[in-house]
Amino acid sequence: MKNLLFLFIWTVSHSVIAQLDYESFIGESGKISFSKEYSYANLYDYEVNASKEDSVITRKLSSTIPEGLLTERYAAEIMERERDSTSFEILLKSRLLVDINSDRLCFIKYSTRLNDKETEEQIFKTVRRENKWNVNVENDEETALLEQIFKEISVEMFFEIFNDRDNPDYPELNELKPQIKNENGAIDIKKLATIITENNSIFPKNE
Protein backbone atom coordinates (compact mmCIF):
# COMPACT_ATOMS: atom_id res chain seq x y z
CA MET A 1 0.00 0.00 0.00
CA LYS A 2 2.83 2.39 0.90
CA ASN A 3 4.52 1.62 -2.42
CA LEU A 4 1.33 2.43 -4.31
CA LEU A 5 0.94 5.73 -2.43
CA PHE A 6 4.56 6.67 -3.18
CA LEU A 7 4.08 5.84 -6.87
CA PHE A 8 0.92 7.98 -7.02
CA ILE A 9 2.65 11.01 -5.40
CA TRP A 10 5.70 10.61 -7.66
CA THR A 11 3.52 10.40 -10.79
CA VAL A 12 1.44 13.46 -9.86
CA SER A 13 4.48 15.60 -9.01
CA HIS A 14 6.23 14.72 -12.27
CA SER A 15 3.06 15.35 -14.27
CA VAL A 16 2.91 18.87 -12.83
CA ILE A 17 6.47 19.54 -13.98
CA ALA A 18 5.78 18.11 -17.43
CA GLN A 19 2.66 20.23 -17.91
CA LEU A 20 4.12 23.60 -16.94
CA ASP A 21 3.39 26.21 -19.61
CA TYR A 22 6.63 28.14 -20.01
CA GLU A 23 5.01 30.50 -22.50
CA SER A 24 2.73 31.83 -19.76
CA PHE A 25 5.56 32.92 -17.46
CA ILE A 26 5.58 36.69 -17.03
CA GLY A 27 8.82 38.41 -16.13
CA GLU A 28 9.72 42.02 -15.46
CA SER A 29 10.00 44.47 -18.32
CA GLY A 30 12.65 47.14 -18.60
CA LYS A 31 14.21 49.49 -21.13
CA ILE A 32 17.38 48.36 -22.96
CA SER A 33 19.11 49.96 -25.93
CA PHE A 34 21.95 49.32 -28.38
CA SER A 35 21.84 51.64 -31.38
CA LYS A 36 18.23 52.38 -30.43
CA GLU A 37 15.85 51.40 -27.64
CA TYR A 38 14.34 47.93 -27.95
CA SER A 39 10.56 47.84 -28.29
CA TYR A 40 10.40 44.91 -25.85
CA ALA A 41 12.77 43.64 -23.15
CA ASN A 42 11.73 41.20 -20.45
CA LEU A 43 13.64 39.34 -17.73
CA TYR A 44 12.32 36.26 -15.95
CA ASP A 45 13.66 34.33 -12.94
CA TYR A 46 12.55 30.71 -13.34
CA GLU A 47 12.58 30.08 -9.60
CA VAL A 48 9.63 32.39 -8.86
CA ASN A 49 6.92 29.97 -10.05
CA ALA A 50 5.48 26.66 -8.81
CA SER A 51 7.67 26.31 -5.73
CA LYS A 52 10.76 26.34 -7.99
CA GLU A 53 9.49 23.37 -10.02
CA ASP A 54 9.70 25.42 -13.20
CA SER A 55 13.48 25.67 -12.78
CA VAL A 56 14.13 21.93 -13.15
CA ILE A 57 13.60 20.01 -16.39
CA THR A 58 13.85 16.24 -16.39
CA ARG A 59 12.15 15.37 -19.67
CA LYS A 60 11.81 16.60 -23.24
CA LEU A 61 9.52 19.57 -23.85
CA SER A 62 7.81 20.81 -26.99
CA SER A 63 10.24 22.24 -29.56
CA THR A 64 7.80 25.11 -30.20
CA ILE A 65 9.25 26.98 -27.18
CA PRO A 66 12.84 27.97 -26.35
CA GLU A 67 12.96 25.67 -23.31
CA GLY A 68 11.92 22.79 -25.54
CA LEU A 69 14.72 23.52 -28.00
CA LEU A 70 17.12 23.41 -25.06
CA THR A 71 15.88 19.92 -24.15
CA GLU A 72 16.56 18.83 -27.73
CA ARG A 73 20.23 19.70 -27.18
CA TYR A 74 20.27 17.18 -24.33
CA ALA A 75 17.97 14.58 -25.88
CA ALA A 76 20.49 11.74 -25.39
CA GLU A 77 21.03 12.55 -21.71
CA ILE A 78 17.28 12.83 -21.10
CA MET A 79 16.69 9.51 -22.83
CA GLU A 80 19.30 7.88 -20.59
CA ARG A 81 17.55 9.33 -17.56
CA GLU A 82 14.23 7.88 -18.67
CA ARG A 83 15.92 4.48 -18.75
CA ASP A 84 16.81 5.03 -15.06
CA SER A 85 20.53 4.77 -15.75
CA THR A 86 21.35 8.38 -14.77
CA SER A 87 19.97 11.26 -12.75
CA PHE A 88 20.22 14.07 -15.32
CA GLU A 89 18.55 17.48 -14.91
CA ILE A 90 18.54 20.82 -16.72
CA LEU A 91 18.53 23.64 -14.18
CA LEU A 92 16.98 26.83 -15.55
CA LYS A 93 18.27 30.04 -13.94
CA SER A 94 16.78 32.99 -15.83
CA ARG A 95 15.55 34.13 -19.24
CA LEU A 96 16.02 37.37 -21.18
CA LEU A 97 13.70 38.24 -24.08
CA VAL A 98 14.56 41.13 -26.39
CA ASP A 99 12.95 42.31 -29.64
CA ILE A 100 15.52 43.38 -32.22
CA ASN A 101 13.91 44.66 -35.41
CA SER A 102 11.38 41.95 -36.39
CA ASP A 103 13.06 39.15 -34.37
CA ARG A 104 12.54 38.15 -30.75
CA LEU A 105 15.70 36.80 -29.14
CA CYS A 106 15.63 34.55 -26.10
CA PHE A 107 18.68 34.02 -23.88
CA ILE A 108 18.36 31.23 -21.29
CA LYS A 109 20.88 31.01 -18.48
CA TYR A 110 21.11 27.41 -17.28
CA SER A 111 23.33 24.63 -16.01
CA THR A 112 23.00 20.86 -16.04
CA ARG A 113 23.32 18.39 -13.19
CA LEU A 114 24.32 14.75 -13.51
CA ASN A 115 24.25 12.59 -10.39
CA ASP A 116 24.41 15.66 -8.12
CA LYS A 117 27.36 17.24 -9.99
CA GLU A 118 26.41 20.62 -11.47
CA THR A 119 28.15 22.24 -14.44
CA GLU A 120 29.05 25.91 -14.83
CA GLU A 121 26.30 28.23 -16.07
CA GLN A 122 25.82 28.49 -19.83
CA ILE A 123 23.72 30.62 -22.18
CA PHE A 124 21.35 29.07 -24.72
CA LYS A 125 20.19 31.39 -27.52
CA THR A 126 17.13 31.10 -29.73
CA VAL A 127 15.35 33.47 -32.11
CA ARG A 128 11.70 33.68 -33.14
CA ARG A 129 11.02 34.57 -36.75
CA GLU A 130 7.60 34.32 -38.33
CA ASN A 131 6.22 32.83 -35.09
CA LYS A 132 8.71 29.95 -35.03
CA TRP A 133 11.57 29.53 -32.56
CA ASN A 134 14.95 28.42 -33.95
CA VAL A 135 18.40 27.97 -32.40
CA ASN A 136 20.33 29.70 -35.19
CA VAL A 137 21.04 33.14 -33.67
CA GLU A 138 23.67 35.21 -35.48
CA ASN A 139 26.45 36.13 -33.06
CA ASP A 140 26.97 39.75 -34.12
CA GLU A 141 28.25 42.49 -31.79
CA GLU A 142 24.78 43.20 -30.43
CA THR A 143 23.86 39.63 -29.49
CA ALA A 144 27.40 38.97 -28.21
CA LEU A 145 27.13 41.93 -25.82
CA LEU A 146 23.70 40.83 -24.59
CA GLU A 147 24.99 37.31 -24.00
CA GLN A 148 28.08 38.59 -22.17
CA ILE A 149 26.04 40.86 -19.90
CA PHE A 150 23.37 38.25 -19.19
CA LYS A 151 26.02 35.68 -18.26
CA GLU A 152 28.03 38.06 -16.09
CA ILE A 153 25.36 39.56 -13.83
CA SER A 154 22.52 38.17 -11.74
CA VAL A 155 18.80 38.74 -12.18
CA GLU A 156 18.83 40.79 -9.00
CA MET A 157 21.47 43.14 -10.40
CA PHE A 158 19.53 43.51 -13.65
CA PHE A 159 16.42 44.47 -11.70
CA GLU A 160 18.41 46.99 -9.65
CA ILE A 161 19.72 48.60 -12.84
CA PHE A 162 16.21 48.66 -14.35
CA ASN A 163 14.89 50.38 -11.22
CA ASP A 164 14.97 54.17 -11.41
CA ARG A 165 15.07 54.43 -7.62
CA ASP A 166 18.36 53.86 -5.83
CA ASN A 167 18.64 50.98 -3.39
CA PRO A 168 20.66 51.85 -0.25
CA ASP A 169 21.91 48.25 -0.18
CA TYR A 170 23.87 48.90 -3.41
CA PRO A 171 25.67 52.25 -2.98
CA GLU A 172 28.38 51.46 -5.55
CA LEU A 173 25.81 50.48 -8.17
CA ASN A 174 23.79 53.64 -7.45
CA GLU A 175 26.84 55.73 -8.35
CA LEU A 176 27.34 53.85 -11.61
CA LYS A 177 23.72 53.82 -12.84
CA PRO A 178 23.91 57.30 -14.47
CA GLN A 179 26.83 56.03 -16.55
CA ILE A 180 24.90 52.93 -17.64
CA LYS A 181 21.71 54.56 -18.92
CA ASN A 182 21.13 56.90 -21.84
CA GLU A 183 19.12 60.15 -21.86
CA ASN A 184 15.80 58.24 -22.03
CA GLY A 185 16.63 56.11 -18.98
CA ALA A 186 17.21 52.95 -21.02
CA ILE A 187 20.15 50.66 -20.22
CA ASP A 188 22.84 51.11 -22.87
CA ILE A 189 24.33 47.62 -23.32
CA LYS A 190 27.63 48.96 -24.68
CA LYS A 191 28.09 51.13 -21.59
CA LEU A 192 26.92 48.33 -19.26
CA ALA A 193 29.38 45.83 -20.74
CA THR A 194 32.22 48.28 -20.14
CA ILE A 195 31.07 49.05 -16.59
CA ILE A 196 30.85 45.33 -15.76
CA THR A 197 34.38 44.73 -17.05
CA GLU A 198 35.79 47.62 -15.04
CA ASN A 199 33.75 46.93 -11.86
CA ASN A 200 33.23 43.17 -11.90
CA SER A 201 33.30 42.79 -8.10
CA ILE A 202 30.02 44.67 -7.58
CA PHE A 203 28.07 42.57 -10.08
CA PRO A 204 27.62 39.10 -8.53
CA LYS A 205 26.50 36.46 -11.01
CA ASN A 206 24.24 34.71 -8.52
CA GLU A 207 21.61 35.99 -6.13
Side-chain angles (χ1 to χ4, degrees), residues 101-119:
N101 300 321
S102 59
D103 296 336
R104 173 159 293 182
L105 273 63
C106 177
F107 299 80
I108 296 177
K109 185 186 293 187
Y110 76 100
S111 62
T112 61
R113 184 164 58 202
L114 178 62
N115 297 326
D116 296 325
K117 186 176 182 180
E118 186 174 345
T119 64

Side-chain angles (χ1 to χ4, degrees), residues 42-124:
N42 183 276
L43 187 64
Y44 180 80
D45 183 347
Y46 285 102
E47 294 186 348
V48 302
N49 273 13
S51 299
K52 298 187 179 181
E53 287 179 349
D54 65 314
S55 67
V56 179
I57 299 179
T58 58
R59 62 189 63 198
K60 193 174 181 305
L61 303 177
S62 170
S63 60
T64 60
I65 59 173
E67 292 83 359
L69 292 173
L70 176 58
T71 63
E72 285 192 348
R73 172 176 285 186
Y74 295 97
E77 289 86 347
I78 291 172
M79 185 176 294
E80 287 299 311
R81 176 190 171 86
E82 291 174 350
R83 293 171 180 165
D84 293 327
S85 60
T86 66
S87 179
F88 176 80
E89 298 169 317
I90 300 173
L91 308 177
L92 302 177
K93 309 292 183 174
S94 50
R95 177 184 69 193
L96 174 65
L97 296 173
V98 174
D99 282 0
I100 300 178
N101 300 321
S102 59
D103 296 336
R104 173 159 293 182
L105 273 63
C106 177
F107 299 80
I108 296 177
K109 185 186 293 187
Y110 76 100
S111 62
T112 61
R113 184 164 58 202
L114 178 62
N115 297 326
D116 296 325
K117 186 176 182 180
E118 186 174 345
T119 64
E120 292 185 3
E121 290 181 347
Q122 305 176 60
I123 303 295
F124 181 71

